[in-house]
Amino acid sequence: MAYFCGRKSNLLSLLGFGLSPHLLNGPILTMLYDSNPTLEGVIKTIDEAKQGSVFFNEQTDHGHTPGVKRFYIESYGCQMNFSDSEIVASILGDIGYAPTRNMEESDLILVNTCSIREKAEETVRKRLKIFAKAKKNRPGLKVGVLGCMAERLKKQWLEEEKLVDLVVGPDAYRDLPNLIGAAEEGGRMVNVLLSREETYADISPVRLDTNGVTAFISIMRGCDNMCSFCVVPFTRGRERSREPFSIVAEARDLFEKGYREVTLLGQNVDSYKWENPETKERADFAGLLEMTAAVHPDLRVRFSTSHPKDMTDKVLHVMAAHENICKYIHLPVQSGNSRILEMMNRTYDRAWYMGRIESIWRILPDAAVSSDIITGFCSETEEEHQETISMVSWAKYCMSYMFSYSERPGTLAARKYADDVPEEVKKRRLSEIIVVQRAVSQTYNEGEIGKTFRVLVERDSSKSDQEFCGRNSQNSMCVFPKKEGIKPGDYVQVKIRAANSATLMGDILDC
Ligand code: 5AD
Ligand code: SF4
């Protein structure tokens, strides 16, 4: 189970192209969120609206053209997976496949899967039953499983799920044209090879389901951290960073197309590192942030996710120095207790984590911090759980993604520790944390009443087409009445007049 509480989240003058040299010397940016019927309306399930999103692009939809093959793709899990679906769309576009929102008219159904918790995998299995029915009606239809579940279960898929034609892991998307070709000939294909190099740097993602204002850019892949509860290092492989020029070029291209915000994505952005193979010059995450911020002062830069052990003051100083780097850090604590953190193999303890938060407060006094929290990890006691609760209040998280522990096969925790906290205790602890986080979010948001923020207009608010919504630098979602001449992609000054635990309400000021 997993809940989101609080606000939704949610150059190239560098490196041989004129990057200021001091940046080159130093050490070198989900989640499937299950619904919670008991808390509906109060606690929002994280990105629930996006889970299972069917990716689509209006610009490439030319109606049903006879002879044009169509793919239908559903995506689950973290933002990284949603980004990967855009890479897949680009690769399929090159072989003449166009996206469709309508499963009934597709020649190829793809499901980009998540393994992070058991519930995520169950959701995908249910969807496969629906795809099986579609396939019965249309025998030529092919079905492919992509992403983390493909990687975890490999060819077991072909044995367990007779309808599956393609099983493709996160590092094998370039092979899709071959695999689809062979599947069209009647083969059942698997490619789950993980790579130490693949970053898809040269592939220009097809932006699907876009608001035309905000976009995600993947800057690295994989994870080397081996948190004991986590399946990601096994499904996404070793950490590798994408070369910075292609990242900045992608940001610039987005800006030129009218986008005004990019989020740099990685499992652990602070360990971004890249070395120019010819000049041996190096770039770290602070350098990459600075390069991306230099694209244009009106292009906002965000990033996710930061690991407390790697987040440096250098990054905080770069954030402080650039108005367009958003003052928001997602810094997952996972647990507030040092013994549990050690068992989780997070490589920091409670005191170290608090030290990192204090650095943020010192260097970026107006920054907002959010977190991920797991309740009921192996052997967690009531006292240890209380330490997580106290961390939520102490750190004053603007919001948290909260989960109850779900044992994943093959992880360090599954091999070493008993999953011995009863399910009802995990859930009760989760509810307790949610209550505290909700109060902290409410207090945080009430503290914003009367302040004025620069807000990037994203779209109509979900409740009314008379209102816009957009975020401030701290990532708070602001809702405000529309004003003549203002459109998505514009920056406006919004004065906050009211707040609840998820949203700030305000009015556009005359500039
Ligand atoms: N059980 C519950 N939550 C998990 N997460 C990762 N693995 C598990 C698991 N086995 C959570 C962590 C992580 C977020 C993306 O998902 O909090 O930060
Ligand atoms: Fe999983 Fe830890 Fe890597 Fe995050 S940092 S993806 S929780 S192993």
Side-chain angles (χ1 to χ4, degrees):
M1 263 209 195
Y3 306 108
F4 161 89
C5 183
R7 294 158 314 138
K8 208 165 180 185
S9 61
N10 154 3
L11 149 99
L12 269 192
S13 57
L14 299 216
L15 293 167
F17 292 77
L19 169 64
S20 55
H22 72 272
L23 292 174
L24 303 175
N25 296 332
I28 316 252
L29 162 224
T30 285
M31 304 174 221
L32 200 111
Y33 314 102
D34 332 322
S35 59
N36 180 352
T38 55
L39 293 161
E40 215 148 281
V42 185
I43 308 297
K44 288 191 180 154
T45 55
I46 322 169
D47 281 4
E48 193 190 350
K50 287 191 86 180
Q51 294 304 309
S53 279
V54 178
F55 271 174
F56 187 71
N57 182 329
E58 304 285 347
Q59 271 112 47
T60 58
D61 182 46
H62 307 300
H64 190 83
T65 316
V68 172
K69 292 208 166 167
R70 299 258 157 184
F71 71 93
Y72 167 94
I73 185 164
E74 282 183 12
S75 304
Y76 293 85
C78 64
Q79 194 55 53
M80 204 81 189
N81 244 17
F82 285 72
S83 264
D84 278 3
S85 291
E86 298 187 331
I87 287 168
V88 168
S90 175
I91 292 169
L92 295 183
D94 288 347
I95 55 165
Y97 271 84
T100 176
R101 242 185 210 135
N102 183 0
M103 184 168 69
E104 303 305 322
E105 68 167 33
S106 65
D107 304 282
L108 174 64
I109 295 179
L110 297 173
V111 55
N112 198 352
T113 61
C114 172
S115 288
I116 205 134
R117 282 168 289 277
E118 199 178 349
K119 185 80 197 290
E121 295 201 349
E122 283 165 9
T123 309
V124 167
R125 297 271 189 187
K126 282 191 199 132
R127 287 305 292 160
L128 285 175
K129 294 205 167 66
I130 309 283
F131 302 155
K133 278 191 199 138
K135 198 164 169 170
K136 227 178 198 166
N137 298 336
R138 279 177 302 139
L141 178 66
K142 302 294 170 200
V143 175
V145 179
L146 313 179
C148 289
M149 273 179 92
E151 194 62 53
R152 198 175 82 72
L153 298 166
K154 303 188 169 58
K155 62 178 191 317
Q156 208 179 312
W157 275 110
L158 303 185
E159 288 141 29
E160 285 175 15
E161 303 274 357
K162 297 289 172 237
L163 87 153
V164 172
D165 303 288
L166 294 164
V167 180
V168 191
D171 285 347
Y173 298 145
R174 276 182 209 271
D175 199 23
L176 272 166
N178 295 327
L179 299 170
I180 292 170
E184 283 170 347
E185 300 296 314
R188 300 184 73 206
M189 310 305 295
V190 181
N191 186 343
V192 288
L193 285 175
L194 286 172
S195 159
R196 281 183 175 251
E197 281 97 41
E198 182 62 90
T199 60
Y200 300 110
D202 56 317
I203 295 182
S204 189
V206 172
R207 303 289 161 186
L208 299 162
D209 256 9
T210 174
N211 58 12
V213 178
T214 60
F216 293 88
I217 302 181
S218 174
I219 65 163
M220 55 206 294
R221 300 181 70 83
C223 184
D224 283 350
N225 283 331
M226 299 303 274
C227 298
S228 65
F229 51 80
C230 189
V231 78
V232 167
F234 304 95
T235 58
R236 292 193 153 260
R238 298 303 299 268
E239 179 186 291
R240 66 224 98 118
S241 297
R242 175 177 169 187
E243 57 91 2
F245 308 116
S246 69
I247 297 171
V248 178
E250 194 173 324
R252 177 169 298 127
D253 181 56
L254 286 163
F255 183 76
E256 280 161 7
K257 290 184 170 133
Y259 287 80
R260 291 294 173 263
E261 183 180 293
V262 294
T263 302
L264 306 182
L265 279 184
Q267 308 293 350
N268 180 9
V269 290
D270 298 284
S271 79
Y272 176 89
K273 48 181 152 322
W274 185 80
E275 185 174 275
N276 187 322
E278 278 147 35
T279 63
K280 301 294 172 211
E281 282 175 310
R282 294 196 291 173
D284 60 6
F285 183 58
L288 179 70
L289 262 183
E290 206 152 41
M291 291 160 76
T292 316
V295 166
H296 197 283
D298 281 342
L299 182 71
R300 273 181 170 182
V301 184
R302 298 188 185 279
F303 54 89
S304 187
T305 294
S306 302
H307 195 299
K309 81 176 160 61
D310 295 317
M311 191 199 66
T312 60
D313 283 0
K314 188 177 170 195
V315 165
L316 301 178
H317 285 296
V318 167
M319 291 175 74
H322 294 270
E323 205 271 331
N324 61 332
I325 304 181
C326 291
K327 307 299 178 274
Y328 168 67
I329 302 178
H330 184 58
L331 195 71
V333 68
Q334 310 297 359
S335 166
N337 171 264
S338 295
R339 186 185 75 90
I340 294 293
L341 285 169
E342 191 175 345
M343 287 176 69
M344 287 177 161
N345 199 26
R346 290 289 288 179
T347 70
Y348 56 83
D349 60 11
R350 181 180 172 95
W352 167 275
Y353 183 87
M354 292 169 111
R356 298 319 299 136
I357 296 275
E358 280 164 348
S359 280
I360 297 173
W361 289 341
R362 182 167 42 83
I363 300 168
L364 296 168
D366 61 342
V369 181
S370 60
S371 191
D372 289 349
I373 291 166
I374 298 177
T375 65
F377 186 67
C378 314
S379 79
E380 183 191 66
T381 65
E382 287 302 325
E383 292 71 35
E384 290 164 341
H385 163 63
Q386 288 303 325
E387 283 202 78
T388 304
I389 291 191
S390 73
M391 180 64 87
V392 172
S393 307
W394 181 85
K396 302 188 189 71
Y397 297 128
C398 60
M399 65 98 175
S400 291
Y401 298 106
M402 295 162 279
F403 313 97
S404 58
Y405 174 59
S406 164
E407 186 179 81
R408 306 311 294 133
T411 54
L412 289 181
R415 283 185 267 147
K416 264 172 89 174
Y417 308 122
D419 179 13
D420 54 1
V421 177
E423 213 45 42
E424 62 278 11
V425 174
K426 288 180 184 173
K427 299 269 152 62
R428 193 248 306 142
R429 289 180 189 169
L430 179 59
S431 317
E432 286 171 9
I433 299 224
I434 289 168
V435 168
V436 173
Q437 178 62 66
R438 178 176 50 194
V440 170
S441 299
Q442 178 81 36
T443 307
Y444 181 97
N445 280 356
E446 283 170 0
E448 308 295 59
I449 296 175
K451 293 186 190 167
T452 298
F453 294 107
R454 187 170 190 245
V455 172
L456 175 61
V457 182
E458 284 184 25
R459 54 183 165 83
D460 284 4
S461 89
S462 44
K463 295 212 173 108
S464 161
D465 63 4
Q466 303 302 304
E467 291 175 332
F468 277 136
C469 66
R471 292 170 195 279
N472 64 8
S473 177
Q474 289 75 9
N475 209 37
S476 296
M477 184 52 93
C478 306
V479 175
F480 42 92
K482 289 183 175 176
K483 208 165 188 180
E484 184 87 26
I486 304 287
K487 56 183 187 320
D490 291 343
Y491 285 100
V492 287
Q493 295 291 329
V494 174
K495 183 164 183 187
I496 306 306
R497 67 177 133 74
N500 58 35
S501 64
T503 314
L504 304 177
M505 278 73 70
D507 300 286
I508 300 178
L509 296 183
D510 291 323
C511 302

